[in-house]
Amino acid sequence: EASQFFISSLSEWASEFRKLEPSFTRFSIVGHSLGGYLGTLFALKYPQSVDRLMLVSPVGIPARPVDFKGPQRALHQRVLLGMMKMLWDRNMSPQSLARTLGSGAMTWLCKGYANSRFPSLESSAADALGKYFAEISMLPGSGEYGMNTILQYGGWARKPLKDKLPSLTVPVSMVYGERDWMDWRVAADIIPSMNTKASVEVLEDSGHFLFLDNPSGFNQWLDKELRD
């Protein structure tokens, strides 16, 4: 199973670190998006290794509604989305497209995306971020091929966390951006059924990438949670 590949890797890392530092027994997990999904599965399997769980706009909590249709879109948008779904179902990742385009074109596209998506960043910082996006996308494929095994097209988990969260035994804190495409209300609805300390917060002036959209607010949240 794809998720177990990532969980086992983290478990192996923890085991190796304990050999270097025997006093290291538990650690806190901060997971963003898919990292939040995988971090939760790790905490469920190895609760003795986790001190607390901090989920930053985690993907995969709700199940995809049976009657989900999404917003009404123009014909050309529906055609484009249909093509994207077809590629996703065939395990064609965005990184696969990047390697087809080549380094120069991908760097240009990623720099343009970073500058438009993160206007609060200085131009040099946005360019550096875009270059980073491009360079990691050009590397040989690895974990990206597990994406569509874990997620359906549109970001819905094939095995949602909705019914797993109440089984957590470690404290969990979740934070979402106020313009996030992840819905914080789904997580908030689950909180009353959880048997551990749990909270959900919404960070203003931010979207899915909270730490880039509002780094000061995100760092304050993280510092507060780690000190709690």
Side-chain angles (χ1 to χ4, degrees), residues 126-145:
D127 283 347
L129 181 62
K131 185 178 180 181
Y132 167 74
F133 285 159
E135 288 182 352
I136 61 173
S137 297
M138 294 299 298
L139 294 173
S142 56
E144 70 191 66
Y145 297 121

Side-chain angles (χ1 to χ4, degrees), residues 2 10 29 38 47 49 53 57 60-61 69 71 94 96 109 123 141 152 171 173 189 193 208-209 214:
L10 182 55
I29 293 179
L38 296 172
S49 297
L53 189 60
S57 186
I61 291 181
K69 295 181 179 179
S96 300
L109 285 172
S123 180
Q152 302 178 55
S173 306
D189 289 342
S193 66
H208 187 57
F209 296 95
N214 186 352

Side-chain angles (χ1 to χ4, degrees), residues 4-173:
Q4 293 305 314
F5 168 82
F6 296 99
I7 294 170
S8 297
S9 296
L10 182 55
S11 178
E12 290 172 10
W13 169 85
S15 297
E16 290 300 315
F17 194 87
R18 288 191 188 99
K19 294 177 183 178
L20 301 174
E21 184 54 68
S23 62
F24 173 80
T25 56
R26 297 163 69 87
F27 56 93
S28 297
I29 293 179
V30 182
H32 171 248
S33 198
L34 181 61
Y37 180 88
L38 296 172
T40 301
L41 295 181
F42 181 89
L44 286 165
K45 187 170 183 178
Y46 302 105
Q48 71 280 1
S49 297
V50 181
D51 182 56
R52 66 181 303 115
L53 189 60
M54 288 160 283
L55 307 179
V56 183
S57 186
V59 73
I61 291 181
R64 187 182 189 276
V66 177
D67 58 349
F68 180 79
K69 295 181 179 179
Q72 293 293 323
R73 301 182 185 276
L75 177 60
H76 70 281
Q77 294 176 316
R78 296 199 300 272
V79 170
L80 178 60
L81 290 173
M83 292 176 63
M84 292 173 62
K85 182 179 185 302
M86 179 186 70
L87 293 173
W88 181 270
D89 290 341
R90 294 185 179 183
N91 211 10
M92 293 288 291
S93 68
Q95 290 82 4
S96 300
L97 175 61
R99 291 187 285 272
T100 301
L101 291 175
S103 178
M106 196 60 193
T107 299
W108 178 77
L109 285 172
C110 287
K111 283 184 176 181
Y113 166 76
N115 276 276
S116 62
R117 173 60 182 80
F118 306 108
S120 61
L121 294 179
E122 293 184 3
S123 180
S124 59
D127 283 347
L129 181 62
K131 185 178 180 181
Y132 167 74
F133 285 159
E135 288 182 352
I136 61 173
S137 297
M138 294 299 298
L139 294 173
S142 56
E144 70 191 66
Y145 297 121
M147 286 283 288
N148 86 336
T149 303
I150 298 172
L151 302 175
Q152 302 178 55
Y153 176 73
W156 305 95
R158 298 187 187 279
K159 296 183 178 180
L161 295 176
K162 182 177 181 293
D163 298 325
K164 300 178 185 294
L165 287 175
S167 299
L168 282 170
T169 57
V170 302
V172 56
S173 306

